[in-house]
Amino acid sequence: MAISFVFDERVEAFRAQVAQTLADALPPHIRSQVADERIDLTRADQAAWQSKLDSLGWGGVGLPPESGGPGWTDEEYFVFLRELGRADAPRPPLYGLKMVAPTLVRFGTPEQITRYLPDITAGRTFWCQAFSEPNAGSDLAAMTCPAKKTEDGYEITGSKTWISDAHHADLMFGLFRTSSTGRKQEGITALVVDMKSPGITVRPLPNYEGTHECNEIFFDQVRVPAANLIGEEGNGWQVAKFLLSVERFDTAEVPRSLATLGRIRNRIAALEEKSGYTAHVQGLRARFARLEIELRALAATECRYVLGTPQEELTGAEPSLLKWIGTELQQDLLELLMDAYGEQAQAGLPIEDAQPGACRPVEGGFAGRAFHRYRVTTIYAGSTEIQKELIARTALGLRT
């Protein structure tokens, strides 16, 4: 039985409009890549799709109307994200639109909002987020990359690592240390850095299965103007906490997991039609049933947090809970998908065998790539262990 949330007639009419528009507007070659669990779309494809959404008035999803948002209710926004997943459409740009844009609305100056947001919503600029360092991943407060104060801004010499999409990005939203006194959470400052600045070197960190998402970045006396300071100097920890709470809600990726569940259902049905109700099919169906129940529970929990709980009643643990459960479910679902395709799942390795436009040699060859690629989900945006610690502190009041 499919997972669905039915709203009133107005919202359901909106759902039907979104579904039809996506069916008409989404280019088949982009749809097929998303259906293959790809997240490494080319910049050109990402820009084209975001530009199309912007032309429909949907470029600023998640933002308030005065900042370029479409003016939807929470229910309409919730339904829109669900329909994106159902249509195998790319998710909204994570770093620019879903993370940086709300942070600029919250902490940026009017000039910064006017300067950056229109290009984000129209898909004209791409962003990366530079938090992690070689010795400071999930322990963000341990970061040391310095930004030295100058007469007209800051000068950065140091490095960042595991920076997703830096090779596509025009701009970076980064955290840098401007002071080493006081608690380690103090003295952190948020800056926007032009990726074309002299002194920046980007080196790829290829994934095991051959995709290129992450990079390491080196700064050699990179100059950043004072106008690129986000919030107040030394207040980067508060800025980062806000941005990460937004990210952790999104990393649950319930719409994408629902789409994956549908692909698994279809594959198991095809196996049963071909070979009958074998012991292998029985095992796959049992695992499928358990994961569907868990995904139903997660989807209901997300719905309750987003739509049914007043903001003042949220404890701060909700993004961490969704991130923890959602990313573990992603891994379990993709493991089941890989097992359902068996040896065929490995046909897409290495990635050169499945580049956009190439013929897929074996049906299901994408499943092995997806399984290996998504092993990282329980690490990025704060590892599962960090999420559990945050839940213990904020929801249970425990000191760890």
Side-chain angles (χ1 to χ4, degrees), residues 266-276 280-281 284 339-341:
N266 293 339
R267 173 59 180 172
I268 295 175
L271 284 175
E272 185 172 353
E273 181 178 355
K274 178 181 179 180
S275 305
H280 177 55
V281 170
L284 293 175
D339 290 347
Y341 277 104

Side-chain angles (χ1 to χ4, degrees), residues 11 29 32 104 123 153 211 214 285 294 330 332 338 340 347 355 376 388 392:
V11 177
H29 77 281
S32 65
L104 289 173
T211 57
C214 292
R285 284 206 173 277
E294 292 181 8
Q330 289 171 38
D332 290 344
M338 183 175 67
Q355 288 295 333
V376 74
K388 291 178 179 180

Side-chain angles (χ1 to χ4, degrees), residues 205-228:
L205 294 172
N207 292 327
Y208 164 78
E209 83 291 354
T211 57
H212 176 199
E213 180 190 8
C214 292
N215 307 269
E216 53 184 348
I217 302 178
F218 298 90
F219 306 87
D220 183 10
Q221 298 181 329
V222 175
R223 305 300 292 265
V224 178
N228 289 21

